[in-house]
Structure formats: C-alpha cells, structure tokens
Amino acid sequence: MNRRHCATAAITLVCALALLTSTGQATAAPVPDPSPSPSASSPAGSPPRYSNADLEKVREQIETLYRKAGAATDAYNLAEEQTKKQSGEIVKLAKAIVDGQARIARLKDRAGAQAREQYRNGGLPPGAQLALSDDPKLFLDGINKVHQSQQASKSLLTELNQTQQDLETYTQDASANWEKLETNRVKQAKAKKKINAQIKAAEKLESQLEKKERDRLRQLERDAADEAQTAWLSSGAVKDVSGEASEAGAAAVAFATAQIGKPYVWGAEGPGSYDCSGLTSQAWLAAKRPIPRTSQEQWRLLPRIDIQDMRPGDLIIYHADASHVGMYVGDGAIVHSPRPGRNVTLAGAGSMKILGVVRPDK
C-alpha cells in the first residue's frame, strides 16, 4: 500500500512540475492523479498496476513535456545560430575598425607632411611662392598649383573627417552587436534550462513505471500514432499526392534515411546524433541547399505548399508552435528524429498534428 501511495505522489509531483515549467504556445491541462488499479490477472498480494486509462494519462503528459522541450530546443538553436552570425559580424567590424585607424594614421601623416613643407617655405606652399613671381608664365603655373594644393588639402580633410565618422559608426555598431551577442547568450542559457527541466520531468515521470508498464506505455504511443495516421489517410489528404522528388530532394531523402537508428540529442546536427531540425537542415545541406536551422525558421522562411502537391524531400512542420519537423519520403511516411530517448526513424506523416508543408528547393 505504501508503494502505491509513493508512486501516486511521485506522479502528482511531476505533473505539478510540468505545469510550473510550461512555456511557449503549447499548454497542458492538469492531469488528474492517476490512482493505480490492480490488474485483474495480478496474483493476490502483488504490487498494483496502472490501468490503461492511467497510463494513457501518463503518456499524454510525457508527450506534452517533450513537445515543450522541442519548442525550447528551437529557441536554443535559434539563439545559437544568431550568436554565430553576431560573432561573425563582430569580427568584420573589428577588422574595419583596425583598417579605419590605420587609414586615419596615414592621412594624418600626409597632413603633417604638408604642414612641414609649408613651414620650410615660410608658411607658403610652392604654388603660392610662384604666384608671387613677376614672370607671367611662373605666375600662371603658381596660380594653378595653389588651386591644386587647395583642392588636395580640402580632399585630405574631407577624407580624414569621413574616415573618423566611419570609425565612430563601426565602433557604435560593434558595441550594439556585443549587446545583441550577450542577449542571445542569456536566451541560450534560459532555453537550455527549460529544455533540461522538461526532459528531466518527462524522464522522472516515466521512471516511476515498472518495465512492463513502460512496455505498455510504448505500445500506447504506437497505438496513438497509428490511430492518428489511419485517420489522416482515411481523410483523403494524400489521395492525390504523387509528386516525384527533385534531384536535390532525392539527395536530401537519401541523407536523412541514412541516419535512421541514430539517437535524438537536442541541439545536435550530426554526425552521430540529431534533433528534429538538425536532421532536416543537414539533409538539405548535403543536397547543397542550405536552409534555416530550426523548425520554426523553416516554417517562417521556406516556401509553403499544399499537402496535395507534396513530394519526397519536402518538410512537414508539426504542432501549432512549429516545434517539430520531419521530411516526407513518400507513401504517406516521414523520416524524423522524434524526441529524447528515441532514434531517427520512419513514421506516419499524419501521426502528429500537421501545421503545414514547406519546400526547400522551390
């Protein structure tokens, strides 16, 4: 009996943690405390088992936690991608600042040389001295040289002022980019913390179950996916889908399917492990068509197409917050990296709620 109360308390505690760590668009309704009920076939005195209804509640809660972890993973990946870009911009700005400083130094040397020359000539440039000559030819040459000297001095001052302004702009941009970089680092830290909290909550919830219950839980997962896939196929959504893969699409599919069996690791882009968008972005990179790193950016930036026009290589984006992505491989199936604790695998394209389809090579 004590064991029963301990398990129930653990489930309640983890469910409460899941609700407290809720993030993004995905939200979860409170899960009722699943009271274990003895299996009809359990011998007298054996520990009580969860009923299928109890395990279904646990399955739904675990699925919600991993979906939230997926959304947090996307936030982390996007922040990391932006940080890399900002780092590159900062390197460019630093080089521009060094170049600007060197240019200012050269211009100041030129200005100094002009000033020294005038000093040696009694404060008058050579052209001005010639302009004071009684010789008409020398006088005209002097006037021309004075004009040229004035233009050169004016250009030199203009160039010096512009270079100084550019240097100030570069410095301001570098400072702003450093601030953006720091903001992104903070976003990464927060996202990483949320990811770990969601994954730990899901793992803890599943760890309360015994092996037979975990096996039954996996079966419930498969049943739910099969039911959703059957309903999707029965709706006629893919009745007229018959597009053939483009050359790049076929290359992307070949890469993605070659990763089957490799584990999901959040933030991973291969070669030994992948998260969902790490798999799709690397597959299209292998096809020489770079695409955004995260599923949310893939949904936001890539051309969208109707499901009826789908062809192998296209990406199917899932859930209202675009937190998951898989690659369509034909015959109503996708290859994807599902979640922590699972490996890259084939699955029914309709086994999750579809948000839409995008085509990287449109």
Side-chain angles (χ1 to χ4, degrees):
M1 195 63 169
N2 286 338
R3 183 171 184 174
R4 171 179 174 178
H5 287 314
C6 288
T8 302
I11 294 292
T12 304
L13 174 62
V14 177
C15 290
L17 174 60
L19 295 174
L20 288 173
T21 56
S22 175
T23 60
Q25 296 182 28
T27 57
V31 177
D33 179 14
S35 300
S37 49
S39 169
S41 60
S42 298
S46 66
R49 295 299 195 198
Y50 290 109
S51 68
N52 279 351
D54 294 334
L55 286 176
E56 179 60 23
K57 293 174 185 176
V58 172
R59 184 196 68 78
E60 290 173 357
Q61 187 64 62
I62 289 174
E63 182 180 302
T64 298
L65 287 167
Y66 278 123
R67 277 188 54 196
K68 290 176 185 175
T73 298
D74 242 23
Y76 177 88
N77 290 338
L78 180 59
E80 178 144 302
E81 184 178 33
Q82 290 172 339
T83 297
K84 288 178 182 177
K85 289 180 180 178
Q86 291 299 335
S87 296
E89 289 300 315
I90 287 170
V91 170
K92 291 179 183 177
L93 286 171
K95 185 178 183 302
I97 289 171
V98 171
D99 292 344
Q101 289 171 335
R103 189 177 180 191
I104 286 174
R106 289 194 299 270
L107 291 172
K108 285 182 175 178
D109 285 344
R110 283 172 55 190
Q114 286 186 357
R116 288 191 296 274
E117 182 181 8
Q118 289 184 15
Y119 177 77
R120 286 194 299 270
N121 292 318
L124 292 174
Q129 292 176 351
L130 291 173
L132 296 175
S133 171
D134 292 333
D135 187 323
K137 187 174 185 303
L138 291 177
F139 176 79
L140 291 175
D141 287 344
I143 291 295
N144 186 46
K145 287 184 177 179
V146 167
H147 179 70
Q148 290 176 351
S149 177
Q150 288 174 339
Q151 289 297 108
S153 296
K154 185 178 179 181
S155 291
L156 182 61
L157 289 173
T158 299
E159 188 176 358
L160 181 58
N161 288 333
Q162 184 61 53
T163 301
Q164 287 177 324
Q165 290 175 8
D166 289 344
L167 186 58
E168 289 176 4
T169 300
Y170 291 148
T171 303
Q172 291 170 358
D173 288 347
S175 177
N177 281 340
W178 271 114
E179 290 178 6
K180 289 180 182 178
L181 183 61
E182 184 58 28
T183 298
N184 280 333
R185 283 176 176 159
V186 172
K187 283 172 63 178
Q188 287 183 46
K190 289 182 178 178
K192 191 172 183 179
K193 186 176 180 180
K194 289 177 182 178
I195 294 166
N196 286 330
Q198 303 292 355
I199 292 175
K200 285 180 181 178
E203 289 174 344
K204 185 173 182 180
L205 185 55
E206 195 166 354
S207 71
Q208 309 302 315
L209 305 175
E210 295 183 359
K211 183 181 182 305
K212 288 183 179 180
E213 291 163 343
R214 287 196 295 272
D215 291 343
R216 287 166 60 205
L217 186 66
R218 289 294 297 272
Q219 186 59 51
L220 287 173
E221 289 177 2
R222 289 190 289 268
D223 291 346
D226 290 346
E227 184 178 348
Q229 174 74 353
T230 299
W232 184 64
L233 293 175
S234 299
S235 71
V238 290
K239 183 179 64 174
D240 299 322
V241 174
S242 58
E244 294 184 1
S246 63
E247 183 178 349
V253 168
F255 178 93
T257 52
Q259 312 313 309
I260 289 175
K262 294 182 179 180
Y264 176 106
V265 173
W266 66 263
E269 299 177 82
S273 58
Y274 297 88
D275 62 18
C276 66
S277 57
L279 176 66
T280 54
S281 61
Q282 288 300 305
W284 273 101
L285 183 61
K288 304 188 186 323
R289 292 293 184 95
I291 64 173
R293 167 65 176 86
T294 71
S295 59
Q296 292 175 346
E297 289 294 279
Q298 289 168 7
W299 173 243
R300 187 173 73 87
L301 298 174
L302 295 178
R304 299 178 186 180
I305 62 169
D306 293 333
I307 288 179
Q308 290 79 4
D309 298 326
M310 200 163 50
R311 68 189 187 194
D314 290 342
L315 306 181
I316 303 181
I317 310 297
Y318 293 95
H319 311 309
D321 56 359
S323 58
H324 191 69
V325 60
M327 178 179 292
Y328 186 64
V329 296
D331 295 326
I334 59 167
V335 58
H336 72 142
S337 187
R339 65 168 177 82
R342 301 289 185 266
N343 298 330
V344 176
T345 188
L346 292 173
S351 58
M352 297 166 284
K353 188 169 181 57
I354 294 174
L355 178 61
V357 182
V358 295
R359 176 166 293 166
D361 61 341
K362 184 174 181 180

